[in-house]
Amino acid sequence: MNRRAWLQLSSFSTVATFAGCGGSKVPEIDQETYAEEITAVIKQHAEICSAAYKSAWQTADSLRAKANVFLTTPTSATHVALQDAWIVAHNAYMETEGLRGQGTPADGVHSNIASWPVDPTALDTVPGNLKTGVVHDTKGIPTIDAQAIRLAHQPRENKVLMGFHAIEFLIYGFDQYDDAPGPRVFADYTAVVGVKRRRELLSLLTQLLPIDLAVMNEAWHPSEQGNYRAQFMEKDPKSALTTIFTGLVTVCNNGLSGALLRPLASGDQKDEICQFSDTSLDAVRHAIIGLQKTLTGKAPGRVVADDEVPLLGLIAKADASIAKEIESGFEQMIDKLKPLNEPFDQLIKPGHSGRKALEEVADGLSDQAKLLVQVGKAVGAKLGSLA
C-alpha cells in the first residue's frame, strides 16, 4: 500500500499492506550450499537481540532512577533530567522495533511498553478538564498499584495507561503548541491538585517499564537456559529466518510507515507517536537505525567480528543488487531526515516543505518492505502470507 492510498483510507492493516508487495521473483538460494552462512546469520541475530534489549532495559531502568530522584527532589533541573532520560530510553527501545518478529516474546509485552496514541484524559488533568483520568478517579481505581493499572490498561479500547507514552504525558503534559512540547512543570508534582496520586502513578509506571523490558532482556540473554533465545537457536533455519524477516517487513510496512502516515493524513499532532514531547522524528530515525543495525550485525555495545556474516551479506548471496538497494535505501532515509530540525507538529502541516521528506521516507519504507519480502523468500523465509 503506498502513501496516497493510506492517506485516502486513513487506516492500515497488515493484510492490506502486504497485499501490495510485488516485484520480480528472486531465485532461491540453495540451503545446503549456504547452510553455514544461514546458521551464522541466525546466531548473529540472537546476539543483536540480546544486546539491543539489554540496552533498552538498562536505559529504562535509568529512567526509573531519574524519576526517583525527581520525586524525591522535584526541581526544574531534576525534571529536565527526567525528560532527557525518557528520550534516551525511548530511542533505545525504538531501535528494537525491527526485532519483534511474529511469535517472539515481544508479542506479550509490547502493548504494555509502547502503545500509542494516548488519550491523556484517561490519565490526568487536561485543559478544560481538571479532574479526569486515573489521577483523579479515586472511585474507579481507589489505589494506584500494579494490579489495578495493568487491569485497566486496555490499548484496544483507547485506554493506554502504562508504557513509554503514558509516562511521556506525565512528564511533558498536554501539548497545545506546534512549536514546543507539552508545558508540564515540576510544580505539578509538588502543589497542584492530585499531586499525591500523580506522584504515585509516575513512580509506578517508571517501575513497571523496566520490569516489562526485563522480560525481553531475559528472553534473549545468552546465559538463560531454556529461554526464547535457546529455542530460537534450535529452530529450523527457515523458521528462524521467517521470524527475522517478518519483524523487518512488519516494522517497515506498518510500524514505521504508520508512525509517519497517520499524522501526515490528519495533520494533527495528537496522531504523532510522541505527541507530548515533540520527539517523533527522533523516534522514527532511531527505528530506521535499528533496522540498519539488524541488517549489518550491529547493536549497542556489540563489536562485529571481521569474519561474521551479517544478514545483508546473506541477502547479497541471493541478489547482490537488491542487497545494495536495501542498504542505500535506509541510508537515503536517514539523509532525508537529517535536515529536518523543526518540531514534528510543524513538519506535518499542509504546505510545509518538510512534509515531502516525510512522505518520501514513508514511501521508501514501503519499498524496502517489498524488497525484504523478495529476498526473504529467496533465502528461505516463509513469507507467503506477507506477500
Side-chain angles (χ1 to χ4, degrees), residues 37-61:
E37 287 89 343
I38 291 171
T39 299
V41 164
I42 292 169
K43 178 182 178 182
Q44 185 188 71
H45 186 77
E47 293 177 355
I48 292 168
C49 290
S50 177
Y53 281 118
K54 179 180 179 181
S55 173
W57 168 67
Q58 289 176 329
T59 54
D61 197 52

Side-chain angles (χ1 to χ4, degrees), residues 320-378:
S321 63
I322 289 185
K324 290 180 180 178
E325 189 174 351
I326 291 172
E327 184 177 24
S328 64
F330 284 120
E331 291 173 352
Q332 289 169 18
M333 288 182 218
I334 295 295
D335 289 341
K336 288 181 186 296
L337 295 176
K338 280 180 181 177
L340 305 180
N341 53 17
E342 294 179 72
F344 198 81
D345 302 355
Q346 295 186 21
L347 297 173
I348 61 175
K349 286 185 174 181
H352 194 289
S353 59
R355 277 185 65 95
K356 182 179 179 182
L358 296 179
E359 291 166 352
E360 288 175 349
V361 170
D363 285 342
L365 287 165
S366 179
D367 292 340
Q368 293 287 74
K370 294 173 184 177
L371 293 174
L372 287 165
V373 166
Q374 291 180 52
V375 293
K377 289 180 178 180

Side-chain angles (χ1 to χ4, degrees), residues 229-312:
R229 175 185 171 128
Q231 298 167 24
F232 177 78
M233 295 297 293
E234 293 175 358
K235 278 187 174 186
D236 171 81
K238 288 189 176 183
S239 179
L241 287 170
T242 300
T243 297
I244 294 171
F245 276 94
T246 300
L248 292 169
V249 174
T250 302
V251 75
C252 282
N253 233 344
N254 273 3
L256 275 186
S257 60
L260 288 171
L261 292 172
R262 184 170 185 155
L264 283 169
S266 68
D268 195 329
Q269 64 189 54
K270 70 177 176 60
D271 288 324
E272 297 178 36
I273 185 172
C274 302
Q275 60 173 305
F276 310 112
S277 61
D278 275 355
T279 59
S280 297
L281 205 57
D282 268 353
V284 171
R285 184 184 297 113
H286 276 274
I288 293 173
I289 289 171
L291 292 171
Q292 288 180 308
K293 289 180 177 178
T294 301
L295 288 161
T296 57
K298 299 177 182 177
R302 182 173 193 274
V303 178
V304 182
D306 292 337
D307 60 349
E308 282 191 43
V309 179
L311 181 58
L312 200 61

